[in-house]
């Protein structure tokens, strides 16, 4: 408690009733949440199982849990620190039978959902070229985030895509139910439905969680807001922590009104503002404050620091985007050499992922190590999903998406036309696809070779289901993949043997992940492992930022939230990039884009460099660029040279090599 400042101390000790903690960037909000939990456990003797803390990523939940455990020890046993989706799954597993599902439901990933949407479009004779499954899936997801059920959606349909979605949404939901599957949005939506419709279930969880804390509350959508409101309805001991100035996920359903209206909706709400920043210099904070102040709908607060003014902000103005990249890399190298810093101290942040190309080329040319955050995640790779699909079939043979993925991998001669006939027959006879596979001899339109292949696949799966146990699952999976000949299939179908080997190594990592899971959870089963993978995959805002190598970080502004670096290069501050042209069209006040700029500025601890171009190529032709309006919102005296608008591009002397430049410093 002695480490807390006065505002943090108040937030920690206000435990009864609603509490809104407006925590500015770098103001120690995690310290407040963990200290508050320790205070509840230690001083107030609250039983651990009555405390619930909710955040958005597994990484954040794990870090918070470890900090509480270090401070509270055994007293923290039984406390739940969870993501929204993990909390929803916990509630659903207990009572989802009452909504007509079985407790061993499967959670479908994005690609699985797209497959079901594609099937629904086909069932309704809708052209998938005109209405792409991913577009329809996104519409359904946004509807579920707003708690709009299939029977409510048609009332809101105003354009062709929404009209198609209105037709597909009920069919999609019917197919999910038939497969005993739910998607990620269902986790929240069905949990809310259960708590609303079943008073005894709601009472159980309200009695269970008497003290609730929510982190990053500005990022909650309508479903998450409703879920937390229902759980806290009985006792009212709800503490939410967040920063409306860092609300940057409106495009995926987050509603900033949830945090802005929190205190107004609760008459006895206590509001605490955390404005002392422990991360950045005074100059950086002044720049962030003056930018964000131009947003009209926000809580009134301003960051400050006791750590001093620090260095002025550097501004690089380049002729082209390639020159911008060269200047940034040059300045980065000079700073690294001068200050003897590791490469990991530097980050290049941009609005659009397409901007990374020039910086990657410049870094490679100078042989500067870098890591690009936001590439394809491990569990989204094809060979990984193929191997996980076999495990999913063993956990739930009614998982149609997994069956479809495995039925012709490795190749067995079961083509797309035959598979479609099998699916149609299963629908006509109200059977699962797995049961249909065992009746291939009764299905017209299949060749003799296809019937033989289908029967062989069904027999193989039936035998595996009979033999597979929850003991030594990793070794059983290894034996299964060997019997399937997956390695040989990859070598046969991929021309480059090195690429084939990389994919085989990825499958080996699936086995390693399963073995590690078994070791940590000796009583768990295959479904538990797959659930864990599914929940990890859902962390769309979470990136693996704990890079072991010493490298410069390249990442989008959206991906940078929650991170900090000693030196940040905020690049491409031009109209059309930041703020982005799509956002300008949708919101002339560009409030969320301004918050995104604020997030970028406050990632810097010691030194901030901003860059822009005078022109960029667009579809092969040069386009003149105007400086971002956000540059004009930063006082000139915060910049080296003091001129943000009329500064001309400074040529880079590429004739002098890097080491010569350093010697002339």
């Amino acid at each position: 408690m002695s480490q807390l400042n006065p505002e943090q101390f108040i937030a920690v000790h206000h435990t009864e009733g609603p509490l809104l903690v407006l925590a500015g960037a770098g103001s120690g909000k995690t310290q407040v949440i963990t200290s508050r939990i320790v205070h509840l456990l230690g001083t107030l003797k609250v039983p651990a199982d009555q405390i619930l803390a909710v955040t958005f990523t597994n990484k954040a939940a794990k870090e918070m849990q470890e900090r509480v455990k270090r401070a509270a020890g055994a007293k923290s046993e039984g406390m739940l620190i969870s993501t929204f989706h993990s909390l929803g799954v916990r509630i659903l597993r207990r009572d989802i039978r009452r909504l007509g599902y079985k407790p061993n439901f499967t959670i479908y990933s994005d690609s699985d959902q797209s497959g079901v949407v594609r099937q629904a479009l086909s069932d309704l004779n809708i052209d998938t070229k005109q209405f792409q499954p991913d577009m329809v899936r996104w519409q359904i997801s946004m509807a579920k985030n707003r708690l709009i059920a299939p029977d409510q959606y048609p009332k809101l349909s105003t354009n062709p895509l929404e009209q198609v979605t209105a037709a597909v949404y009920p069919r999609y939901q019917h197919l999910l139910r038939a497969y005993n599957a739910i998607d990620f949005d269902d986790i929240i939506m069905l949990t809310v439905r259960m708590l609303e419709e079943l008073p005894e279930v709601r009472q159980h969880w309200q009695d269970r969680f008497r003290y609730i804390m929510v982190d990053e509350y500005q990022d909650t959508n309508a479903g998450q807001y409703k879920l937390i409101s229902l759980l806290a309805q009985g006792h009212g001991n709800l503490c939410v922590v967040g920063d409306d100035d860092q609300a940057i996920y409106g495009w995926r359903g987050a509603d900033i009104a949830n945090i802005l209206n929190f205190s107004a909706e609760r008459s006895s709400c206590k509001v605490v503002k955390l404005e002392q920043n422990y991360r950045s210099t005074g100059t950086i904070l002044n720049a962030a404050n003056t930018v964000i102040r131009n947003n009209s709908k926000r809580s009134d607060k301003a960051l400050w620091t006791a750590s001093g003014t620090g260095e002025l902000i550097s501004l690089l103005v380049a002729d082209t985007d390639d020159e911008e990249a060269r200047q940034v890399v040059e300045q980065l190298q000079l700073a690294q050499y001068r200050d003897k810093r590791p490469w990991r101290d530097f980050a290049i942040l941009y609005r659009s992922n397409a901007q990374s190309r020039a910086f990657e080329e410049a870094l490679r040319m100078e042989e500067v190590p870098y890591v690009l955050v936001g590439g394809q995640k491990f569990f989204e790779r094809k060979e990984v999903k193929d191997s996980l699909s076999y495990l999913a079939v063993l956990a739930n043979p009614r998982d149609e998406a997994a069956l479809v993925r495995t039925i012709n991998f490795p190749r067995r001669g079961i083509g797309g036309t035959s598979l479609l006939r099998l699916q149609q027959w299963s629908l006509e006879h109200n059977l699962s696809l797995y049961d249909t596979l065992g009746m291939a001899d009764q299905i017209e339109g299949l060749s003799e070779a296809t019937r033989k292949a289908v029967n062989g696949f069904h027999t193989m799966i039936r035998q595996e289901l009979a033999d597979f146990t929850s003991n030594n699952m990793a070794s059983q999976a290894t034996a299964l993949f060997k019997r399937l000949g997956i390695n040989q299939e990859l070598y046969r179908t991929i021309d480059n043997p090195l690429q084939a080997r990389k994919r085989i190594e990825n499958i080996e990592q699936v086995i390693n992940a399963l073995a590690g899971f078994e070791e940590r959870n000796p009583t768990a089963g295959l479904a538990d492992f797959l659930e864990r993978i599914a929940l990890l995959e859902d962390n769309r805002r979470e990136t693996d930022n704990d890079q072991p190598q010493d490298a410069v970080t390249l990442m989008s502004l959206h991906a940078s939230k929650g991170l900090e670096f000693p030196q940040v290069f905020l690049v491409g501050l031009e109209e059309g990039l930041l703020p982005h042209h799509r956002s300008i069209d949708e919101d002339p006040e560009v409030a969320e884009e301004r918050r995104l700029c604020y997030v970028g500025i406050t990632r810097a601890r010691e030194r901030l460099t901003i860059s822009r171009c005078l022109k960029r190529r667009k579809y092969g032709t040069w386009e003149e660029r105007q400086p971002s309006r956000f540059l004009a919102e930063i006082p000139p005296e915060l910049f080296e040279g003091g001129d943000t608008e009329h500064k001309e591009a400074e040529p880079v002397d590429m004739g002098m090599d890097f080491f010569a430049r350093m010697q002339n410093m």
Side-chain angles (χ1 to χ4, degrees):
M1 295 301 171
S2 62
Q3 299 175 0
L4 303 175
N5 65 38
E7 290 74 24
Q8 291 173 331
F9 189 89
I10 293 171
V12 167
H13 286 79
H14 185 87
T15 56
E16 305 304 310
L19 171 65
L20 169 62
V21 181
L22 292 169
S27 62
K29 68 180 179 66
T30 305
Q31 173 79 1
V32 167
I33 296 173
T34 53
S35 297
R36 196 170 188 272
I37 294 172
V38 172
H39 176 62
L40 288 169
L41 292 169
T43 307
L44 301 185
K45 310 298 182 186
V46 175
D49 61 0
Q50 292 186 5
I51 298 174
L52 168 67
V54 186
T55 187
F56 278 86
T57 69
N58 290 290
K59 179 181 177 182
K62 182 180 179 182
E63 288 179 353
M64 198 179 297
Q65 195 151 17
E66 289 174 348
R67 290 178 68 163
V68 171
K69 191 171 183 179
R70 283 198 300 269
K75 292 179 182 177
S76 64
E77 294 297 328
M79 175 194 60
L80 182 61
I81 298 179
S82 166
T83 65
F84 277 97
H85 286 103
S86 293
L87 172 64
V89 169
R90 179 181 290 258
I91 294 173
L92 291 175
R93 291 288 185 203
R94 180 180 181 270
D95 291 301
I96 199 171
R97 284 184 181 275
R98 305 184 62 173
L99 296 182
Y101 291 82
K102 294 179 181 178
N104 67 335
F105 57 82
T106 300
I107 303 171
Y108 275 11
S109 66
D110 288 351
S111 57
D112 296 332
Q113 294 166 41
S114 294
V116 180
V117 171
R118 184 180 297 277
Q119 182 181 340
L121 287 165
S122 176
D123 293 345
L124 298 170
N125 296 316
I126 297 172
D127 186 359
T128 56
K129 293 181 180 178
Q130 184 178 0
F131 298 99
Q132 297 177 6
D134 283 344
M135 294 172 60
V136 178
R137 177 180 63 80
W138 178 257
Q139 291 291 319
I140 294 173
S141 176
M142 294 301 288
K144 289 184 177 183
N145 285 337
R146 301 195 301 272
L147 299 179
I148 298 172
D151 59 340
Q152 298 169 318
Y153 191 91
K155 302 173 186 177
L156 306 178
S157 304
T158 58
N159 60 47
L161 178 59
E162 290 182 348
Q163 290 166 1
V164 166
T165 302
V168 171
Y169 189 2
R171 180 62 182 163
Y172 168 79
Q173 211 60 25
H174 173 79
L175 290 171
L176 285 180
R177 176 73 70 90
Y179 307 150
N180 194 41
I182 64 175
D183 61 27
F184 282 105
D185 302 308
D186 281 330
I187 293 175
I188 304 299
M189 191 171 183
L190 292 176
T191 303
V192 169
R193 179 183 158 194
M194 184 183 295
L195 294 175
E196 283 185 321
E197 296 179 1
L198 303 172
E200 62 277 21
V201 174
R202 181 172 65 249
Q203 188 66 52
H204 168 83
W205 293 105
Q206 287 177 350
D207 291 343
R208 164 75 191 275
F209 301 125
R210 301 194 63 80
Y211 292 89
I212 300 176
M213 280 150 281
V214 183
D215 191 16
E216 303 285 8
Y217 191 69
Q218 77 280 349
D219 294 337
T220 54
N221 59 32
Q224 292 157 343
Y225 165 84
K226 188 68 175 178
L227 169 59
I228 293 300
S229 298
L230 286 166
L231 290 175
Q233 211 171 56
H235 47 72
N237 299 326
L238 174 60
C239 167
V240 301
V241 183
D243 182 10
D244 53 295
D245 289 337
Q246 297 186 73
I248 60 174
Y249 297 109
W251 52 275
R252 68 183 187 198
D255 188 353
I256 193 175
N258 292 345
I259 192 168
L260 291 177
N261 299 336
F262 184 86
S263 59
E265 294 171 350
R266 295 160 178 83
S267 57
S268 60
C269 182
K270 175 78 172 176
V271 179
V272 178
K273 296 180 182 179
L274 304 183
E275 297 172 293
Q276 183 174 358
N277 178 281
Y278 296 93
R279 175 190 299 159
S280 306
T281 66
T283 296
I284 292 169
L285 296 180
N286 286 340
N289 287 334
T290 55
V291 169
I292 202 63
R293 200 176 291 142
N294 290 278
N295 273 358
S296 57
K297 295 181 181 179
R298 61 180 292 267
S299 58
D300 183 28
K301 58 185 178 300
L303 297 175
W304 63 276
T305 182
S307 63
T309 303
E311 299 182 30
L312 293 174
I313 299 169
S314 299
L315 177 64
L316 302 178
V317 181
D319 186 47
T320 69
D321 52 350
D322 287 331
E323 289 297 314
E324 177 191 34
R326 292 190 187 105
Q327 287 195 36
V328 165
V329 172
E330 179 187 66
Q331 293 301 313
L332 189 153
Q333 287 177 295
L334 291 171
Q336 191 269 347
Y337 179 82
R338 179 187 62 225
D339 301 334
K340 301 297 186 289
R341 287 188 174 277
W343 294 115
R344 69 173 67 92
D345 280 2
F346 300 88
I348 300 173
L349 309 182
Y350 37 78
R351 173 62 176 86
S352 171
N353 283 318
Q355 291 173 255
S356 72
R357 188 272 311 166
F359 295 97
E360 288 191 74
E361 288 185 7
L363 289 165
R364 285 180 177 179
M365 187 170 294
E366 294 291 338
E367 297 184 351
V368 175
Y370 72 91
V371 58
L372 181 67
V373 175
Q376 187 183 30
K377 291 182 173 63
F378 177 79
F379 288 105
E380 280 294 327
R381 295 169 183 168
K382 180 184 182 301
E383 64 276 8
V384 173
K385 293 191 73 67
D386 287 339
S387 55
L388 285 173
S389 291
Y390 270 104
L391 302 182
V393 170
L394 295 181
N396 175 14
R398 295 186 67 195
D399 185 340
E400 181 155 341
L403 275 173
V404 168
R405 194 173 190 102
T406 57
I407 196 168
N408 203 40
F409 177 79
R411 297 178 186 178
R412 298 183 177 87
I414 306 173
T417 302
S418 299
L419 179 57
L420 180 61
R421 182 70 194 105
L422 290 164
Q423 290 174 309
Q424 289 174 339
W425 201 88
S426 71
L427 289 172
E428 291 167 2
H429 293 78
N430 197 28
L431 290 172
S432 70
L433 179 60
Y434 173 73
D435 292 332
T436 300
L437 296 179
M439 302 179 179
D441 292 335
Q442 304 176 32
I443 301 174
E444 296 180 359
L446 298 179
S447 68
E448 193 59 35
T450 299
R451 283 197 177 94
K452 183 178 180 180
V454 171
N455 284 330
F457 176 73
H458 183 262
T459 299
M460 183 269 293
I461 294 297
R462 190 175 66 242
Q463 188 63 49
E464 293 293 338
L465 285 168
D467 295 342
F468 203 94
T469 68
S470 58
N471 297 321
N472 298 318
M473 293 185 292
S475 60
Q476 294 178 80
T478 301
L480 169 61
F481 295 162
K482 186 175 181 180
R483 285 194 296 272
L484 290 168
I486 290 179
N487 290 6
Q488 293 88 331
E489 175 76 355
L490 291 173
Y491 278 121
R492 185 168 58 249
T493 56
I494 299 173
D495 294 333
N496 186 337
L498 291 177
Q499 186 62 32
R501 183 60 216 166
K502 287 181 180 179
R503 297 193 181 189
I504 291 169
E505 289 172 355
N506 288 334
I507 294 176
E508 290 173 356
Q509 288 303 315
V510 172
I511 301 296
N512 293 341
L514 179 56
F517 179 83
E518 283 187 279
E519 186 176 331
R520 295 187 301 272
N521 306 274
T523 61
L526 194 56
D528 299 304
F529 170 71
L530 294 167
E531 179 182 302
R532 172 64 174 164
I533 296 302
L535 290 172
L536 283 171
E537 188 179 355
D538 182 52
N539 280 279
R540 302 177 183 124
R541 292 176 53 236
E542 188 174 5
T543 54
D544 182 13
N545 298 314
D546 296 325
Q547 301 295 340
Q549 66 266 45
D550 183 21
V552 176
T553 299
L554 273 69
M555 65 185 349
S556 71
L557 286 166
H558 282 100
S560 73
K561 186 169 173 291
L563 304 177
E564 59 183 71
F565 302 89
Q567 299 195 35
V568 165
F569 292 83
L570 181 55
V571 301
L573 250 73
E574 304 152 24
E575 290 292 301
L577 270 181
L578 186 63
H580 199 275
H581 65 86
R582 286 197 303 268
S583 299
I584 297 173
D585 295 338
E586 295 169 1
D587 173 22
E589 295 183 5
V590 293
E592 186 157 319
E593 291 291 294
R594 187 173 282 106
R595 293 194 289 269
L596 200 55
C597 182
Y598 172 85
V599 166
I601 292 171
T602 54
R603 298 312 93 195
R605 293 209 307 256
E606 302 168 17
R607 185 179 299 157
L608 174 65
T609 300
I610 295 175
S611 69
R612 68 177 181 91
C613 299
L614 298 180
K615 60 184 179 182
R616 289 180 186 270
R617 287 191 187 275
K618 187 173 184 179
Y619 298 112
T621 60
W622 289 110
E623 180 183 79
E624 297 295 324
R625 309 295 297 183
Q626 296 300 316
S628 168
R629 67 191 75 185
F630 304 145
L631 268 176
E633 294 172 357
I634 301 175
E637 61 268 21
L638 297 181
F639 286 92
E640 296 174 350
D643 185 359
T644 65
E645 228 172 305
H646 303 99
K647 184 175 179 181
E648 294 299 322
E650 298 177 355
V652 178
D653 183 4
M654 301 308 291
M656 182 185 294
D657 68 27
F658 174 60
F659 291 104
R661 292 197 301 272
M662 290 193 294
Q663 290 170 1
N664 292 335
M665 285 175 57

